[in-house]
Amino acid sequence: MSDNVKLYRRIADSVADAIEAGQYRLGDRLPTERELAEQFGVSRPTLREAMIALEMLGMIEARHGLGIYVTGNVRPVAPSADIDFEIGAFELIEARRLFEGEAAALAATSISDEQISELEGLLERMHVEEEIRGEEADRDFHMIIARATGNGAIIATIENLWDWRNRSPLARNILTRARGMGLEPRIAEHRRVVDALKARDPAAARQAMRDHLERVIDHLLHATETEAVQKAQQETKARRNAIAKRVAI
């Protein structure tokens, strides 16, 4: 497979190939996420991204407490552009952690008092605004830090990473799931970033930003697990209701 294919896509394609070849049949349980991550030598976020991509194709289903099961043995027939989910949410956050950590360190050496005041105001907005506007304040917060670097390439890169949240179906799918589980701007984490910038401390600003985005990755993992729990609970409730109706007849 081409080296240009994204890592999670290589894993998703390998598992899909195995399913189509009959290595795993309809109704079969796949190895656990841990076993698959070890088999492919990747992190949990990368493996989770691959599994969600296959869920979106209707080939597998994660059942909490039971495992990952094969629900379809053929990939949908569609233009390759529709199947290529582009960039996933975990990939985006990992990239943001790298770029925005360094951007925060650079910004700490050049950020103005006016920009610090803008960041303080955005912290207030994140605290009181409803979900959508709170997300807008979150984006504005990170873009002010990018602009404080004074580096056009850094600004464009970080802006593009934020824009991919809506352009990529896979990223949008995962972030929508997480939003439903309470993913929102974390005020205390953003406050640590602002405090480091106010102190003009590059090392502290870098670490605060990296820590913040690491926690976002952790939340995405938790949110996708929690969704599986809720789905299992709903299915159990539906089965109980069906049994109760049969008994009542």
Side-chain angles (χ1 to χ4, degrees):
M1 189 174 293
S2 169
D3 289 340
N4 292 326
V5 177
K6 300 173 186 67
L7 185 54
Y8 82 87
R9 279 293 313 280
R10 295 187 199 184
I11 298 166
D13 285 342
S14 293
V15 174
D17 288 343
I19 292 172
E20 291 180 326
Q23 181 177 340
Y24 302 110
R25 300 181 183 279
L26 287 176
D28 281 355
R29 186 174 62 140
L30 296 180
T32 65
E33 280 194 355
R34 181 176 181 178
E35 291 170 337
L36 287 170
E38 291 177 353
Q39 175 184 331
F40 289 106
V42 297
S43 65
R44 279 183 67 208
T46 299
L47 194 282
R48 181 69 55 79
E49 208 134 58
M51 295 300 99
I52 291 175
L54 290 176
E55 277 192 281
M56 290 174 67
L57 291 175
M59 297 191 75
I60 66 167
E61 179 183 38
R63 301 173 186 170
H64 182 71
L66 298 175
I68 306 168
Y69 285 80
V70 178
T71 55
N73 58 4
V74 179
R75 275 170 280 205
V77 177
S80 59
D82 293 338
I83 299 301
D84 188 348
F85 292 104
E86 297 294 340
I87 297 174
F90 290 105
E91 284 188 318
L92 278 175
I93 302 302
E94 287 174 345
R96 285 185 55 207
R97 185 171 180 268
L98 174 65
F99 283 104
E100 294 197 46
E102 295 308 309
L106 182 57
T109 67
S110 57
I111 194 166
S112 68
D113 290 340
E114 181 181 357
Q115 287 170 321
I116 292 290
S117 295
E118 289 182 63
L119 293 175
E120 296 276 8
L122 287 168
L123 285 179
E124 291 298 320
R125 278 185 56 193
M126 289 181 208
H127 183 69
V128 301
E129 296 284 13
E130 70 277 10
E131 178 181 302
I132 298 301
R133 295 193 65 184
E135 288 185 7
E136 292 173 354
D138 189 19
R139 185 184 193 280
D140 291 345
F141 180 95
H142 288 269
M143 287 310 305
I144 285 173
I145 295 172
R147 287 193 289 272
T149 67
N151 185 306
I154 291 175
I155 296 168
T157 297
I158 292 175
E159 185 172 32
N160 193 44
L161 287 172
W162 272 86
D163 289 345
W164 269 110
R165 289 160 56 103
N166 294 319
R167 289 205 299 264
S168 167
L170 178 57
R172 191 166 60 246
N173 179 285
I174 295 174
L175 290 167
T176 297
R177 297 180 189 207
R179 192 176 299 117
M181 299 299 163
L183 178 61
E184 56 187 19
R186 296 166 182 260
I187 309 303
E189 294 169 15
H190 288 78
R191 166 55 62 188
R192 280 188 58 213
V193 175
V194 174
D195 288 345
L197 292 171
K198 287 172 72 172
R200 271 64 178 184
D201 185 334
R206 176 189 294 111
Q207 193 60 53
M209 183 65 80
R210 289 175 65 86
D211 288 347
H212 161 52
L213 292 171
E214 183 66 32
R215 290 189 182 95
V216 173
I217 291 173
D218 290 342
H219 179 86
L220 292 180
L221 285 169
H222 174 71
T224 48
E225 288 172 350
T226 302
E227 184 190 47
V229 172
Q230 290 189 343
K231 185 173 182 180
Q233 290 173 338
Q234 291 169 353
E235 291 174 348
T236 300
K237 183 178 179 180
R239 285 196 297 270
R240 285 175 179 169
N241 289 339
I243 292 172
K245 287 179 180 179
R246 288 199 297 270
V247 171
I249 294 175

